[in-house]
Amino acid sequence: MKSVHYLKTSTKKYCLEYCSTPVPKIKSNEILVRIRCSSLNINDYERYKPQKTILARLINLFQGRESHPLGGEFSGIVESVGVDVTNFKKGDFIMGMSEGVFPYGCWAEYAVCKSDRVVKKPSYLSFYEAGVVSLSGVAAISGLLVCDIKQNDSLLIIGASGGVGLLTLQLAKALGCRITAICSSRNIPLAYKYGADRVFDYNSIEGLSSVGVFDKIIGINGNYKLKDIANCLKVGGVYTVVGNVKQLFSTIPWLLLSKVIRKDFRISSVALSRCERELSELIRVMSDSYIIPYIDKIYTLENIEEALDYILKNHAQGKVAISVN
Ligand SMILES: NC(=O)c1ccc[n+]([C@@H]2O[C@H](COP(=O)([O-])OP(=O)(O)OC[C@H]3O[C@@H](n4cnc5c(N)ncnc54)[C@H](OP(=O)(O)O)[C@@H]3O)[C@@H](O)[C@H]2O)c1
């Protein structure tokens, strides 16, 4: 089969090789899926790029699988199932994540997944649309679940126009929130179109205090001080960190000190290690409101380098899809 691997020894710009490899074998509790579409999330690549972060090096140390295909989410057709898999059969249209959060493996014609990391593809979604939402959508719905979102909540989404942010916006709208979004000026129309009630350009606002006061804040990007974020929360409000590792680390002292200093707001974060419930909830909310993800561009496995060029130079609007077959 054709697949895209990270190879340390590659002389190519991104050390990614489009190559032929054997179709992977499944264990008794696994599913072999023929991939129709995957996506490019920058965190697919973060861990493998030539200049790695310390976090990426640490993860590789424990879970290094550099010769495996990359790619975290997919849509496709079940090719075969292990003897212990009872809820899926050959020919089912499915979507989900490949085996484990790491290692990935969907930038390939075939991938292996576990049945608790996939769902049947809703018929209203095309393979492209279904192929780009499982991982980023689970991050998005997890943020909303963790901050215990309620109808009519006022919600601020920081970083609302990318893969995770736009889905968070769409899901929050479907759940009846009043949404304020922060993104760059070029994406303001997109954020309004997908459900924001008010949108601010992160380059034009003078600190967060000018944006308002909210029941819930979801942080997907941006470098705001926690003190300023706390000042934008109503009493009893919740700040949930979904992306942004730096922000996540900066919450740790606050998590410890908040018990002593101030008790009228809560900080939480999203962990994507277990996601069966979140994936089902994502599909339920999406299907109830016929939510369709926004696809900025579609590339193929062969031109994955072009896709990386695009996503690294321009922030993608919504999702970048990788068509397979
Ligand atoms: N994609 C996934 O599956 C996934 C899963 C779990 C966690 N995450 C994490 O979630 C985060 C976002 O991922 P993503 O795929 O959505 O990334 P992305 O597509 O690059 O989106 C980033 C968002 O942040 C905005 N932004 C950039 N600079 C900002 C600033 N200074 N202040 C406020 N907003 C700013 C961007 O706005 P403009 O584009 O308008 O500039 C865009 O809306 C990353 O930390 C990632 O590791 C991603």
Side-chain angles (χ1 to χ4, degrees):
M1 69 168 186
K2 295 291 184 198
S3 58
V4 174
H5 292 219
Y6 171 74
L7 283 185
K8 238 189 220 168
T9 49
S10 169
T11 51
K12 296 221 175 117
K13 184 174 170 190
Y14 295 114
C15 295
L16 292 177
E17 292 286 340
Y18 175 65
C19 46
S20 291
T21 45
V23 173
K25 295 208 169 6
I26 52 169
K27 298 187 195 118
S28 60
N29 62 343
E30 291 175 338
I31 297 170
L32 181 67
V33 57
R34 182 151 56 86
I35 304 292
R36 293 291 304 274
C37 180
S38 183
S39 77
L40 176 54
N41 292 308
I42 204 59
N43 44 336
D44 287 331
Y45 180 68
E46 272 301 314
R47 171 177 178 226
Y48 296 95
K49 65 185 180 185
Q51 284 87 36
K52 299 180 192 63
T53 59
I54 293 172
L55 184 67
R57 280 168 203 273
L58 274 175
I59 295 170
N60 283 344
L61 196 66
F62 293 105
Q63 291 182 297
R65 297 233 192 156
E66 289 189 335
S67 61
H68 283 225
L70 307 187
E73 58 195 355
F74 71 88
S75 63
I77 302 169
V78 174
E79 182 70 17
S80 61
V81 298
V83 287
D84 297 335
V85 176
T86 51
N87 45 351
F88 295 96
K89 61 179 187 321
K90 184 176 164 69
D92 282 346
F93 292 180
I94 60 172
M95 57 189 277
M97 290 158 270
S98 59
E99 186 218 331
V101 172
F102 300 111
Y104 291 157
C106 313
W107 293 352
E109 288 175 316
Y110 292 89
V112 172
C113 51
K114 296 230 164 72
S115 57
D116 61 353
R117 301 183 68 82
V118 299
V119 288
K120 298 242 171 81
K121 179 182 83 64
S123 55
Y124 82 94
L125 289 177
S126 68
F127 276 108
Y128 285 129
E129 291 154 358
V132 299
V133 287
S134 298
L135 193 56
S136 36
V138 161
I141 197 79
S142 300
L144 294 164
L145 292 172
V146 165
C147 76
D148 192 22
I149 208 79
K150 300 265 189 311
Q151 191 169 17
N152 272 328
D153 272 349
S154 55
L155 170 68
L156 172 65
I157 304 172
I158 307 175
S161 57
V164 179
L166 205 55
L167 276 166
T168 304
L169 179 52
Q170 291 174 278
L171 294 165
K173 193 70 189 174
L175 294 169
C177 298
R178 291 170 289 128
I179 304 162
T180 300
I182 295 182
C183 56
S184 63
S185 59
R186 83 174 173 128
N187 286 326
I188 288 178
L190 187 73
Y192 276 121
K193 184 174 171 199
Y194 280 81
D197 299 291
R198 295 188 313 150
V199 187
F200 293 88
D201 168 9
Y202 53 72
N203 287 314
S204 307
I205 49 172
E206 300 254 333
L208 274 184
S209 55
S210 56
V211 171
V213 179
F214 305 89
D215 296 307
K216 314 276 161 71
I217 298 178
I218 293 188
I220 294 160
N221 208 335
N223 282 314
Y224 299 101
K225 290 192 177 125
L226 273 177
K227 182 166 71 73
D228 298 336
I229 288 177
N231 286 335
C232 289
L233 279 172
K234 291 182 186 169
V235 171
V238 187
Y239 170 48
T240 299
V241 186
V242 173
N244 203 339
V245 176
K246 256 195 220 155
Q247 190 87 85
L248 194 61
F249 283 126
S250 70
T251 60
I252 294 170
W254 275 78
L255 284 170
L256 300 172
L257 288 173
S258 62
K259 291 197 167 72
V260 191
I261 301 174
R262 188 177 157 173
K263 291 191 173 175
D264 54 5
F265 73 96
R266 182 161 70 81
I267 298 175
S268 54
S269 64
V270 163
L272 291 185
S273 52
R274 294 221 311 270
C275 41
E276 192 175 3
R277 180 177 82 99
E278 289 75 7
L279 189 55
S280 305
E281 185 61 7
L282 170 72
I283 300 305
R284 187 191 68 74
V285 178
M286 284 184 72
S287 304
D288 282 356
S289 300
Y290 295 103
I291 290 176
I292 294 180
Y294 179 79
I295 297 178
D296 184 357
K297 292 217 178 285
I298 302 176
Y299 293 89
T300 59
L301 276 184
E302 295 94 312
N303 60 19
I304 205 103
E305 292 204 342
E306 261 178 59
L308 265 163
D309 274 344
Y310 178 73
I311 208 167
L312 291 172
K313 277 195 200 122
N314 319 276
H315 296 161
Q317 298 179 295
K319 300 292 303 192
V320 168
I322 306 295
S323 165
V324 186
N325 295 325

